[in-house]
Amino acid sequence: MTEKINAIRGMNDILPDEAGLWEHFEDAVRDWLHAYGYRAIRTPILERTELFVRSIGAVTDIVEKEMYTFVDELNGESLTLRPEGTASCVRAAIEHNLLYAGPQRLWYWGPMFRHERPQKGRYRQFHQVGVEALGYAGPDIDAEHIVMCARLWRNLGVEGIALELNTLGGAEARTRYRARLVKYLERHHDALDADSKRRLHSNPLRVLDSKNPDMQGLIEGAPKLADDLDEDSLRHFEDLQGKLRAAGVAFELNPRLVRGLDYYNGAVYEWVTGRLGAQGTVCAGGRYDGLIAQIGGKPAPACGFAMGVERLLDLMKGGTASVPRRVPDVYLVHQGEAADRVAGTVAEHLRDREISVLLHCGGGSFKSQLKRADASGARFAVIVGDDEAQAGEVSVKPLRELAKQARVSLEEAVDLIKKDEMR
Ligand code: HAM
């Protein structure tokens, strides 16, 4: 036998049994975004590498070691499979002058790619739903984003997701803080691990994000950004907290929350759960007021967030939320020459009347076809034998209740099936 070919590690197939849950999630997400007036934007999966280097930052885990980057041999250009959606969304908004028409509430959805070590909840191809508000200074819109997340968790029936909040302040405050932090870290140079030594001058704030247990004492004792914060950021942050309290959204302040992407400033947040093991962040975001200018647009404030779809679905699977299985209304059973000729037409007629039909293909006895009908989950079998075909009729057999099979005209069959739908 020829050797089989498997999928790439960390890149998952979503099989039909699971696809129902994904569709249920996608439908809920679309309704939710519509309720808040967000409009969809779709951007290519492949972008120029430079876009991510300039936005996410050259000295970040994502850019340093997680991107799928290759050279397009036709023109020597370096291209990258998108590791996240914010950069592409902002690039597209600039390129097509979307902000000329006023601020934009946008959303996107799709696969992202990061070359991480795969484990439960962490994949190399994963999916995000992202929301971006471009041209809004906040904090009303920051609050809207958080409140809308809280509503989505309720709509999906997922529990146990907590909100952690921090502010990174404006650029000047961060420069001041950075200088203080570097001094502190330099004083403790010998206690730094290799990663932190490397980051000490290129991206010292990320040292605070280290998960290395040996570094935790040092991090605890580090100067706090809160002491350097500028008045504008503080007011924005206070205001945001007030709005969340008014909306009844609980949160916890986490001064160590710095985020792994460089474009953030001001308020940032993560939605975390203890129910997924090590990969407990299901959604994250914040303000990125400098990004639009940084990638060539006219300066404008912005903020947004993205959720990890696989992680949320895992929570839904582990929770009490029930996911309806999508089944056809009718399984169409047919046997005999005359019946085979009309079966397709009967199915199309039913579909014209908005009845979903699984047409049996591949022949077989009535008995074996009815077995398939039962397994399909359909509510009815519509049976066409040669007798029915000649009389221009069909037999309707309810599959989910003990009711008699009825031989009727096609129009009567439509009525019977529709009447059941109304019940
Ligand atoms: P992020 O924190 O890098 O932010 O990713 C957002 C979410 O995507 C994470 O909280 C997590 O749920 C999910 N995620 C990330 N990496 C993986 C992975 N390897 N496997 C499974 N899920 C993953 C961003 O991407 C920003 N663009 C969010 C944002 C939008 N900020 C402003 N606007």
Side-chain angles (χ1 to χ4, degrees):
M1 252 211 305
T2 316
E3 203 184 325
K4 63 179 182 172
I5 301 171
N6 290 335
I8 297 164
R9 209 162 97 79
M11 304 207 178
N12 300 317
D13 298 309
I14 298 157
L15 300 175
D17 270 349
E18 217 192 324
L21 179 63
W22 282 74
E23 287 183 347
H24 170 70
F25 174 79
E26 288 159 16
D27 289 347
V29 162
R30 280 207 180 85
D31 289 348
W32 163 73
L33 288 159
H34 181 68
Y36 285 88
Y38 283 74
R39 297 195 304 153
I41 183 163
R42 298 182 188 201
T43 61
I45 283 171
L46 208 52
E47 295 272 6
R48 294 204 163 80
T49 304
E50 177 62 15
L51 174 66
F52 302 115
V53 176
R54 238 201 273 171
S55 54
I56 297 170
V59 195
T60 55
D61 281 349
I62 297 179
V63 170
E64 278 184 335
K65 45 191 184 196
E66 293 171 1
M67 296 206 303
Y68 283 91
T69 296
F70 62 93
V71 174
D72 181 342
E73 289 188 1
L74 287 180
N75 57 13
E77 237 174 358
S78 177
L79 304 178
T80 293
L81 283 173
R82 63 179 184 197
E84 59 106 49
T86 308
S88 307
C89 180
V90 170
R91 179 208 42 77
I94 296 170
E95 188 169 339
H96 304 286
N97 302 317
L98 295 191
L99 284 164
Y100 284 16
Q104 299 285 322
R105 283 177 159 97
L106 303 171
W107 74 276
Y108 51 85
W109 139 274
M112 307 291 160
F113 303 85
R114 296 185 193 175
H115 201 285
E116 299 192 76
R117 204 159 41 77
Q119 55 174 253
K120 190 177 155 43
R122 186 164 75 190
Y123 309 105
R124 290 178 172 172
Q125 175 176 321
F126 61 97
H127 295 76
Q128 281 185 349
V129 172
V131 166
E132 314 290 356
L134 309 181
Y136 293 91
D140 44 4
I141 195 90
D142 307 56
E144 172 173 292
H145 284 174
I146 290 174
V147 167
M148 72 192 274
C149 285
R151 178 181 292 277
L152 182 64
W153 315 150
R154 283 199 303 279
N155 289 356
L156 295 173
V158 290
E159 286 164 357
I161 305 181
L163 176 63
E164 295 190 359
L165 206 57
N166 191 22
T167 179
L168 302 178
E172 278 177 27
R174 268 211 313 289
T175 309
R176 270 198 306 276
Y177 174 63
R178 194 187 140 115
R180 268 201 319 136
L181 181 63
V182 169
K183 257 196 204 144
Y184 169 83
L185 295 174
E186 276 173 344
R187 272 205 313 279
H188 297 87
H189 193 266
D190 291 348
L192 297 177
D193 62 10
D195 254 355
S196 304
K197 278 187 181 137
R198 206 164 40 79
R199 295 228 153 113
L200 173 56
H201 293 286
S202 55
N203 199 351
L205 258 73
R206 291 284 290 149
V207 173
L208 302 179
D209 209 24
S210 164
K211 303 282 178 288
N212 182 350
D214 297 340
M215 293 275 300
Q216 297 313 303
L218 189 79
I219 291 170
E220 287 295 325
K224 302 277 179 286
L225 176 68
D227 301 333
D228 284 297
L229 283 180
D230 49 290
E231 231 166 78
D232 279 355
S233 312
L234 275 175
R235 203 173 320 113
H236 183 285
F237 197 47
E238 288 290 328
D239 224 347
L240 171 59
Q241 292 177 53
K243 285 181 163 42
L244 295 181
R245 280 191 206 100
V249 178
F251 58 87
E252 217 173 280
L253 297 180
N254 176 359
R256 285 183 50 188
L257 185 76
V258 291
R259 307 281 299 122
L261 305 92
D262 281 355
Y263 50 63
Y264 291 106
N265 68 292
V268 291
Y269 52 91
E270 291 191 353
W271 291 92
V272 293
T273 173
R275 285 171 47 207
L276 292 177
Q279 307 304 321
T281 308
V282 293
C283 178
R287 196 146 267 290
Y288 51 89
D289 294 325
L291 182 60
I292 297 180
Q294 215 171 305
I295 48 186
K298 198 163 146 247
C303 63
F305 62 89
M307 64 192 83
V309 177
E310 283 82 357
R311 294 184 189 177
L312 268 171
L313 294 186
D314 266 355
L315 276 183
M316 287 169 73
K317 278 186 253 172
T320 50
S322 69
V323 179
R325 179 180 165 204
R326 272 215 177 159
V327 293
D329 299 316
V330 164
Y331 192 99
L332 204 140
V333 167
H334 56 99
Q335 201 200 34
E337 252 176 61
D340 288 351
R341 270 199 303 277
V342 299
T345 321
V346 169
E348 283 301 303
H349 183 83
L350 293 174
R351 292 182 192 120
D352 283 344
R353 309 297 300 272
E354 280 156 25
I355 293 169
S356 59
V357 183
L358 224 166
L359 172 66
H360 181 84
C361 289
S365 67
F366 272 127
K367 197 171 158 211
S368 69
Q369 291 191 36
L370 280 166
K371 256 196 191 160
R372 293 265 185 102
D374 203 37
S376 75
R379 289 184 294 122
F380 293 96
V382 167
I383 304 166
V384 188
D386 282 344
D387 278 2
E388 280 98 342
Q390 260 135 30
E393 292 180 334
V394 296
S395 294
V396 178
K397 180 178 166 61
L399 295 172
R400 307 292 146 210
E401 57 186 277
L402 281 173
K404 277 233 292 281
Q405 179 170 324
R407 186 157 152 177
V408 292
S409 72
L410 198 48
E411 272 325 300
E412 284 167 320
V414 169
D415 289 344
L416 271 176
I417 295 161
K418 290 262 184 197
K419 203 161 74 196
D420 183 80
E421 208 172 76
M422 309 292 284
R423 275 197 295 154

PDB file of all heavy atoms in Angstrom, residues 364-372:
ATOM      1  N   GLY A 364     -29.676  -0.115  -3.384  1.00  0.00           N
ATOM      2  CA  GLY A 364     -29.898  -0.888  -2.161  1.00  0.00           C
ATOM      3  C   GLY A 364     -31.375  -1.104  -1.911  1.00  0.00           C
ATOM      4  O   GLY A 364     -32.225  -0.418  -2.493  1.00  0.00           O
ATOM      5  N   SER A 365     -31.665  -2.060  -1.010  1.00  0.00           N
ATOM      6  CA  SER A 365     -33.061  -2.409  -0.720  1.00  0.00           C
ATOM      7  C   SER A 365     -33.734  -1.295   0.073  1.00  0.00           C
ATOM      8  O   SER A 365     -33.061  -0.454   0.660  1.00  0.00           O
ATOM      9  CB  SER A 365     -33.087  -3.692   0.105  1.00  0.00           C
ATOM     10  OG  SER A 365     -32.517  -3.423   1.376  1.00  0.00           O
ATOM     11  N   PHE A 366     -35.087  -1.346   0.087  1.00  0.00           N
ATOM     12  CA  PHE A 366     -35.827  -0.378   0.914  1.00  0.00           C
ATOM     13  C   PHE A 366     -35.341  -0.450   2.357  1.00  0.00           C
ATOM     14  O   PHE A 366     -35.155   0.561   3.023  1.00  0.00           O
ATOM     15  CB  PHE A 366     -37.329  -0.680   0.867  1.00  0.00           C
ATOM     16  CG  PHE A 366     -38.029   0.011  -0.277  1.00  0.00           C
ATOM     17  CD1 PHE A 366     -38.802  -0.726  -1.165  1.00  0.00           C
ATOM     18  CD2 PHE A 366     -37.928   1.381  -0.448  1.00  0.00           C
ATOM     19  CE1 PHE A 366     -39.457  -0.099  -2.220  1.00  0.00           C
ATOM     20  CE2 PHE A 366     -38.583   2.009  -1.505  1.00  0.00           C
ATOM     21  CZ  PHE A 366     -39.344   1.277  -2.396  1.00  0.00           C
ATOM     22  N   LYS A 367     -35.155  -1.721   2.813  1.00  0.00           N
ATOM     23  CA  LYS A 367     -34.808  -1.921   4.212  1.00  0.00           C
ATOM     24  C   LYS A 367     -33.475  -1.222   4.559  1.00  0.00           C
ATOM     25  O   LYS A 367     -33.373  -0.496   5.547  1.00  0.00           O
ATOM     26  CB  LYS A 367     -34.703  -3.425   4.497  1.00  0.00           C
ATOM     27  CG  LYS A 367     -34.753  -3.721   5.947  1.00  0.00           C
ATOM     28  CD  LYS A 367     -34.865  -5.215   6.177  1.00  0.00           C
ATOM     29  CE  LYS A 367     -34.381  -5.501   7.587  1.00  0.00           C
ATOM     30  NZ  LYS A 367     -33.764  -6.779   7.727  1.00  0.00           N
ATOM     31  N   SER A 368     -32.475  -1.426   3.679  1.00  0.00           N
ATOM     32  CA  SER A 368     -31.170  -0.832   3.995  1.00  0.00           C
ATOM     33  C   SER A 368     -31.223   0.694   3.859  1.00  0.00           C
ATOM     34  O   SER A 368     -30.586   1.420   4.613  1.00  0.00           O
ATOM     35  CB  SER A 368     -30.071  -1.438   3.126  1.00  0.00           C
ATOM     36  OG  SER A 368     -30.248  -1.025   1.793  1.00  0.00           O
ATOM     37  N   GLN A 369     -32.037   1.162   2.915  1.00  0.00           N
ATOM     38  CA  GLN A 369     -32.163   2.619   2.760  1.00  0.00           C
ATOM     39  C   GLN A 369     -32.848   3.237   3.985  1.00  0.00           C
ATOM     40  O   GLN A 369     -32.481   4.317   4.443  1.00  0.00           O
ATOM     41  CB  GLN A 369     -32.961   2.967   1.502  1.00  0.00           C
ATOM     42  CG  GLN A 369     -32.222   2.631   0.208  1.00  0.00           C
ATOM     43  CD  GLN A 369     -32.917   3.222  -1.020  1.00  0.00           C
ATOM     44  OE1 GLN A 369     -33.476   4.308  -0.975  1.00  0.00           O
ATOM     45  NE2 GLN A 369     -32.891   2.493  -2.122  1.00  0.00           N
ATOM     46  N   LEU A 370     -33.852   2.523   4.510  1.00  0.00           N
ATOM     47  CA  LEU A 370     -34.562   3.058   5.687  1.00  0.00           C
ATOM     48  C   LEU A 370     -33.658   3.079   6.914  1.00  0.00           C
ATOM     49  O   LEU A 370     -33.769   3.955   7.776  1.00  0.00           O
ATOM     50  CB  LEU A 370     -35.834   2.258   5.952  1.00  0.00           C
ATOM     51  CG  LEU A 370     -36.989   2.689   5.032  1.00  0.00           C
ATOM     52  CD1 LEU A 370     -38.135   1.682   5.066  1.00  0.00           C
ATOM     53  CD2 LEU A 370     -37.493   4.087   5.390  1.00  0.00           C
ATOM     54  N   LYS A 371     -32.726   2.128   6.974  1.00  0.00           N
ATOM     55  CA  LYS A 371     -31.746   2.127   8.069  1.00  0.00           C
ATOM     56  C   LYS A 371     -30.900   3.400   8.015  1.00  0.00           C
ATOM     57  O   LYS A 371     -30.646   4.063   9.006  1.00  0.00           O
ATOM     58  CB  LYS A 371     -30.818   0.913   7.928  1.00  0.00           C
ATOM     59  CG  LYS A 371     -31.121  -0.184   8.893  1.00  0.00           C
ATOM     60  CD  LYS A 371     -29.941  -1.117   8.951  1.00  0.00           C
ATOM     61  CE  LYS A 371     -30.292  -2.377   9.706  1.00  0.00           C
ATOM     62  NZ  LYS A 371     -29.393  -3.457   9.395  1.00  0.00           N
ATOM     63  N   ARG A 372     -30.467   3.719   6.779  1.00  0.00           N
ATOM     64  CA  ARG A 372     -29.678   4.939   6.585  1.00  0.00           C
ATOM     65  C   ARG A 372     -30.500   6.173   6.962  1.00  0.00           C
ATOM     66  O   ARG A 372     -29.989   7.129   7.543  1.00  0.00           O
ATOM     67  CB  ARG A 372     -29.263   5.096   5.107  1.00  0.00           C
ATOM     68  CG  ARG A 372     -28.310   4.066   4.621  1.00  0.00           C
ATOM     69  CD  ARG A 372     -26.866   4.598   4.741  1.00  0.00           C
ATOM     70  NE  ARG A 372     -25.984   3.621   4.153  1.00  0.00           N
ATOM     71  CZ  ARG A 372     -25.451   3.724   2.944  1.00  0.00           C
ATOM     72  NH1 ARG A 372     -25.698   4.783   2.213  1.00  0.00           N
ATOM     73  NH2 ARG A 372     -24.669   2.787   2.484  1.00  0.00           N
TER      74      ARG A 372
END
